[in-house]
Amino acid sequence: MKRGIIFFAACIVLMLSSSELLAQPSFSKAFSPSTIGPGSTSQLTFNIDNTAGGGVIDLAFVDNLPAGMTIASPSGASTNCSGAILMAPDGGSTITFSDGSITPGGNCQIIVNVTASSAGTYMNVSGDLTSSAGNSGTASADLTVDSARPGFSKSFSPSTIDIGERSTLTFNIDNTAGAGDFRDLQFTDMLPVDLVVANPPNISSNCTATTITANAGSSTINVAG
């Protein structure tokens, strides 16, 4: 009788372990913000959620962006998925993710900046997320480009410098697709660690009645007007 009980208990443990290993991670994506002006940038985030499953390897998917949407420059592509290879070239239209892994009960993200210059709603459906646990299916989200909002972008010139050298940071507010004036424009830019406003800052703007605060040595730029 005792042998039968021990054997039955062992079978239950084996069945639970097998079910856990077969659980597939969930796959989703989102744009932030989900509505932008023409030429502005939105952060596209893919989320792989493995809270219901065991360890998974060989995570991979391809996302072909819809016509008119491209990877921004710079792409800001990054991921915290272990061992993953992420390819998202500036100005390209294909995001490729492969060789990722995730721990039991874990969660990881893939982030890429994207942009679009023509007004409309862009429906983005990725390819299937595949892994050692099987096929998790596609992820989808919509990005709206609204011509009633100005486009907003920025660039460094030159984009590569040595330590201690200077680069000119230019913000561009583009209302060429808009039907009317915009007022009370304002934003704050928090520079990344080790990047500061040069001395002298050489601040200039052709925006009407604009106040710019960018003190030498500071890591914060404020614009209002």
Side-chain angles (χ1 to χ4, degrees):
M1 184 66 179
K2 290 184 179 180
R3 291 180 180 177
I5 293 174
I6 293 172
F7 174 75
F8 181 63
C11 287
I12 292 176
V13 172
L14 178 61
M15 289 174 66
L16 288 173
S17 298
S18 299
S19 176
E20 184 180 24
L21 289 173
L22 291 175
Q24 297 159 359
S26 65
F27 186 39
S28 61
K29 67 193 292 189
F31 292 98
S32 180
S34 58
T35 300
I36 59 173
S40 295
T41 298
S42 178
Q43 186 179 82
L44 173 57
T45 301
F46 300 88
N47 187 62
I48 301 174
D49 186 349
N50 193 41
T51 53
V56 176
I57 61 173
D58 297 330
L59 290 161
F61 70 87
V62 175
D63 188 5
N64 292 307
L65 300 178
M69 183 190 295
T70 59
I71 297 168
S73 180
S75 69
S78 65
T79 180
N80 61 354
C81 299
S82 179
I85 298 172
L86 175 60
M87 299 179 64
D90 293 2
S93 59
T94 301
I95 300 168
T96 303
F97 175 85
S98 61
D99 295 336
S101 62
I102 190 168
T103 58
N107 182 284
C108 68
Q109 292 78 39
I110 300 94
I111 296 173
V112 180
N113 293 327
V114 299
T115 185
S117 57
S118 298
T121 297
Y122 297 80
M123 183 172 64
N124 182 208
V125 181
S126 73
D128 292 342
L129 172 68
T130 58
S131 68
S132 59
N135 192 324
S136 297
T138 62
S140 63
D142 293 346
L143 175 66
T144 299
V145 178
D146 186 358
S147 61
R149 302 187 184 193
F152 186 44
S153 60
K154 69 177 183 179
S155 61
F156 289 95
S157 180
S159 58
T160 301
I161 59 173
D162 289 329
I163 295 174
E165 291 187 339
R166 300 182 178 211
S167 177
T168 298
L169 173 58
T170 300
F171 298 90
N172 187 55
I173 301 172
D174 186 354
N175 192 35
T176 54
D181 294 343
F182 288 97
R183 300 184 182 186
D184 300 323
L185 295 167
Q186 55 186 303
F187 66 86
T188 298
D189 190 12
M190 303 294 294
L191 300 177
V193 176
D194 294 331
L195 184 64
V196 297
V197 178
N199 187 12
N202 291 331
I203 301 170
S204 66
S205 174
N206 62 355
C207 299
T208 303
T210 300
T211 300
I212 304 173
T213 303
N215 299 319
S218 170
S219 61
T220 303
I221 301 170
N222 287 299
V223 177

